[in-house]
mmCIF file of all heavy atoms in Angstrom:
data_model
loop_
_atom_site.group_PDB
_atom_site.id
_atom_site.type_symbol
_atom_site.label_atom_id
_atom_site.label_comp_id
_atom_site.label_asym_id
_atom_site.label_seq_id
_atom_site.Cartn_x
_atom_site.Cartn_y
_atom_site.Cartn_z
ATOM 1 N N ALA A 125 -10.465 0.846 12.310
ATOM 2 C CA ALA A 125 -10.828 1.659 13.453
ATOM 3 C C ALA A 125 -11.631 2.895 12.939
ATOM 4 O O ALA A 125 -12.602 3.259 13.529
ATOM 5 C CB ALA A 125 -9.677 2.074 14.237
ATOM 6 N N GLU A 126 -11.157 3.509 11.839
ATOM 7 C CA GLU A 126 -11.831 4.651 11.267
ATOM 8 C C GLU A 126 -13.248 4.351 10.905
ATOM 9 O O GLU A 126 -14.188 5.184 11.161
ATOM 10 C CB GLU A 126 -11.018 5.158 10.122
ATOM 11 C CG GLU A 126 -11.696 6.242 9.292
ATOM 12 C CD GLU A 126 -11.127 6.403 7.946
ATOM 13 O OE1 GLU A 126 -9.945 6.042 7.680
ATOM 14 O OE2 GLU A 126 -11.873 6.836 7.058
ATOM 15 N N ILE A 127 -13.472 3.274 10.190
ATOM 16 C CA ILE A 127 -14.821 2.884 9.770
ATOM 17 C C ILE A 127 -15.634 2.505 11.006
ATOM 18 O O ILE A 127 -16.871 2.909 11.040
ATOM 19 C CB ILE A 127 -14.815 1.680 8.741
ATOM 20 C CG1 ILE A 127 -14.062 2.212 7.462
ATOM 21 C CG2 ILE A 127 -16.168 1.261 8.431
ATOM 22 C CD1 ILE A 127 -13.790 1.083 6.546
ATOM 23 N N ALA A 128 -15.126 1.827 11.925
ATOM 24 C CA ALA A 128 -15.894 1.442 13.119
ATOM 25 C C ALA A 128 -16.299 2.736 13.899
ATOM 26 O O ALA A 128 -17.481 2.824 14.342
ATOM 27 C CB ALA A 128 -15.016 0.563 14.059
ATOM 28 N N TRP A 129 -15.459 3.710 13.968
ATOM 29 C CA TRP A 129 -15.762 4.961 14.693
ATOM 30 C C TRP A 129 -16.884 5.657 13.903
ATOM 31 O O TRP A 129 -17.801 6.166 14.551
ATOM 32 C CB TRP A 129 -14.575 5.879 14.783
ATOM 33 C CG TRP A 129 -14.892 7.089 15.526
ATOM 34 C CD1 TRP A 129 -14.973 7.276 16.889
ATOM 35 C CD2 TRP A 129 -15.202 8.373 14.990
ATOM 36 N NE1 TRP A 129 -15.259 8.581 17.239
ATOM 37 C CE2 TRP A 129 -15.402 9.287 16.020
ATOM 38 C CE3 TRP A 129 -15.338 8.825 13.702
ATOM 39 C CZ2 TRP A 129 -15.767 10.618 15.860
ATOM 40 C CZ3 TRP A 129 -15.660 10.141 13.464
ATOM 41 C CH2 TRP A 129 -15.921 11.000 14.539
ATOM 42 N N ALA A 130 -16.804 5.690 12.587
ATOM 43 C CA ALA A 130 -17.841 6.312 11.795
ATOM 44 C C ALA A 130 -19.204 5.675 11.952
ATOM 45 O O ALA A 130 -20.223 6.244 11.879
ATOM 46 C CB ALA A 130 -17.448 6.360 10.337
ATOM 47 N N GLU A 131 -19.151 4.318 12.065
ATOM 48 C CA GLU A 131 -20.418 3.519 12.215
ATOM 49 C C GLU A 131 -20.967 3.675 13.611
ATOM 50 O O GLU A 131 -22.183 3.704 13.783
ATOM 51 C CB GLU A 131 -20.073 2.025 11.934
ATOM 52 C CG GLU A 131 -19.795 1.829 10.486
ATOM 53 C CD GLU A 131 -19.379 0.349 10.195
ATOM 54 O OE1 GLU A 131 -18.991 -0.369 11.200
ATOM 55 O OE2 GLU A 131 -19.471 -0.053 9.110
ATOM 56 N N THR A 132 -20.173 3.638 14.742
ATOM 57 C CA THR A 132 -20.695 3.484 16.108
ATOM 58 C C THR A 132 -20.326 4.622 17.015
ATOM 59 O O THR A 132 -20.877 4.735 18.053
ATOM 60 C CB THR A 132 -20.212 2.198 16.720
ATOM 61 O OG1 THR A 132 -18.777 2.269 16.815
ATOM 62 C CG2 THR A 132 -20.529 0.969 15.890
ATOM 63 N N GLY A 133 -19.300 5.398 16.676
ATOM 64 C CA GLY A 133 -18.747 6.375 17.547
ATOM 65 C C GLY A 133 -18.054 5.580 18.726
ATOM 66 O O GLY A 133 -17.730 4.485 18.561
ATOM 67 N N ILE A 134 -17.867 6.352 19.820
ATOM 68 C CA ILE A 134 -17.195 5.711 20.953
ATOM 69 C C ILE A 134 -18.348 5.159 21.847
ATOM 70 O O ILE A 134 -18.817 5.832 22.755
ATOM 71 C CB ILE A 134 -16.351 6.720 21.697
ATOM 72 C CG1 ILE A 134 -15.317 7.288 20.776
ATOM 73 C CG2 ILE A 134 -15.658 6.000 22.970
ATOM 74 C CD1 ILE A 134 -14.337 6.308 20.142
ATOM 75 N N THR A 135 -18.765 4.008 21.485
ATOM 76 C CA THR A 135 -19.847 3.280 22.233
ATOM 77 C C THR A 135 -19.378 1.805 22.520
ATOM 78 O O THR A 135 -18.308 1.434 21.947
ATOM 79 C CB THR A 135 -21.115 3.176 21.436
ATOM 80 O OG1 THR A 135 -20.912 2.359 20.242
ATOM 81 C CG2 THR A 135 -21.594 4.565 21.010
ATOM 82 N N PRO A 136 -20.100 1.100 23.299
ATOM 83 C CA PRO A 136 -19.643 -0.274 23.559
ATOM 84 C C PRO A 136 -19.652 -1.127 22.225
ATOM 85 O O PRO A 136 -18.915 -2.138 22.184
ATOM 86 C CB PRO A 136 -20.720 -0.863 24.480
ATOM 87 C CG PRO A 136 -21.297 0.374 25.188
ATOM 88 C CD PRO A 136 -21.210 1.469 24.162
ATOM 89 N N ALA A 137 -20.351 -0.702 21.216
ATOM 90 C CA ALA A 137 -20.362 -1.430 19.934
ATOM 91 C C ALA A 137 -19.103 -1.201 19.087
ATOM 92 O O ALA A 137 -18.820 -1.920 18.076
ATOM 93 C CB ALA A 137 -21.568 -1.029 19.129
ATOM 94 N N PHE A 138 -18.303 -0.260 19.522
ATOM 95 C CA PHE A 138 -17.076 0.125 18.784
ATOM 96 C C PHE A 138 -16.141 -1.166 18.483
ATOM 97 O O PHE A 138 -15.748 -1.398 17.433
ATOM 98 C CB PHE A 138 -16.260 1.220 19.451
ATOM 99 C CG PHE A 138 -14.957 1.431 18.696
ATOM 100 C CD1 PHE A 138 -14.862 2.243 17.613
ATOM 101 C CD2 PHE A 138 -13.802 0.829 19.192
ATOM 102 C CE1 PHE A 138 -13.676 2.467 16.940
ATOM 103 C CE2 PHE A 138 -12.541 1.020 18.508
ATOM 104 C CZ PHE A 138 -12.494 1.836 17.404
ATOM 105 N N TRP A 139 -15.893 -1.943 19.575
ATOM 106 C CA TRP A 139 -14.923 -3.015 19.420
ATOM 107 C C TRP A 139 -15.443 -4.110 18.589
ATOM 108 O O TRP A 139 -14.670 -4.722 17.780
ATOM 109 C CB TRP A 139 -14.517 -3.489 20.809
ATOM 110 C CG TRP A 139 -13.719 -2.470 21.505
ATOM 111 C CD1 TRP A 139 -14.154 -1.720 22.579
ATOM 112 C CD2 TRP A 139 -12.412 -2.063 21.181
ATOM 113 N NE1 TRP A 139 -13.112 -0.797 22.942
ATOM 114 C CE2 TRP A 139 -12.047 -1.023 22.128
ATOM 115 C CE3 TRP A 139 -11.555 -2.375 20.207
ATOM 116 C CZ2 TRP A 139 -10.857 -0.333 22.045
ATOM 117 C CZ3 TRP A 139 -10.245 -1.761 20.153
ATOM 118 C CH2 TRP A 139 -9.945 -0.721 21.097
ATOM 119 N N THR A 140 -16.727 -4.370 18.560
ATOM 120 C CA THR A 140 -17.294 -5.389 17.669
ATOM 121 C C THR A 140 -17.190 -4.942 16.248
ATOM 122 O O THR A 140 -16.731 -5.664 15.343
ATOM 123 C CB THR A 140 -18.777 -5.663 18.002
ATOM 124 O OG1 THR A 140 -18.859 -6.049 19.398
ATOM 125 C CG2 THR A 140 -19.394 -6.760 17.128
ATOM 126 N N ALA A 141 -17.576 -3.643 16.023
ATOM 127 C CA ALA A 141 -17.524 -3.059 14.615
ATOM 128 C C ALA A 141 -16.036 -3.016 14.176
ATOM 129 O O ALA A 141 -15.729 -3.337 13.016
ATOM 130 C CB ALA A 141 -18.061 -1.697 14.660
ATOM 131 N N PHE A 142 -15.165 -2.702 15.130
ATOM 132 C CA PHE A 142 -13.724 -2.591 14.785
ATOM 133 C C PHE A 142 -13.174 -3.990 14.336
ATOM 134 O O PHE A 142 -12.576 -4.175 13.312
ATOM 135 C CB PHE A 142 -12.860 -2.069 15.894
ATOM 136 C CG PHE A 142 -11.391 -2.275 15.718
ATOM 137 C CD1 PHE A 142 -10.694 -1.553 14.758
ATOM 138 C CD2 PHE A 142 -10.637 -3.247 16.402
ATOM 139 C CE1 PHE A 142 -9.288 -1.749 14.472
ATOM 140 C CE2 PHE A 142 -9.313 -3.471 16.153
ATOM 141 C CZ PHE A 142 -8.682 -2.675 15.222
ATOM 142 N N GLY A 143 -13.578 -5.103 15.134
ATOM 143 C CA GLY A 143 -13.138 -6.347 14.813
ATOM 144 C C GLY A 143 -13.564 -6.762 13.331
ATOM 145 O O GLY A 143 -12.833 -7.327 12.514
#
Side-chain angles (χ1 to χ4, degrees):
E126 172 198 334
I127 295 171
W129 183 82
E131 291 173 340
T132 66
I134 303 300
T135 65
F138 172 83
W139 292 107
T140 303
F142 169 71

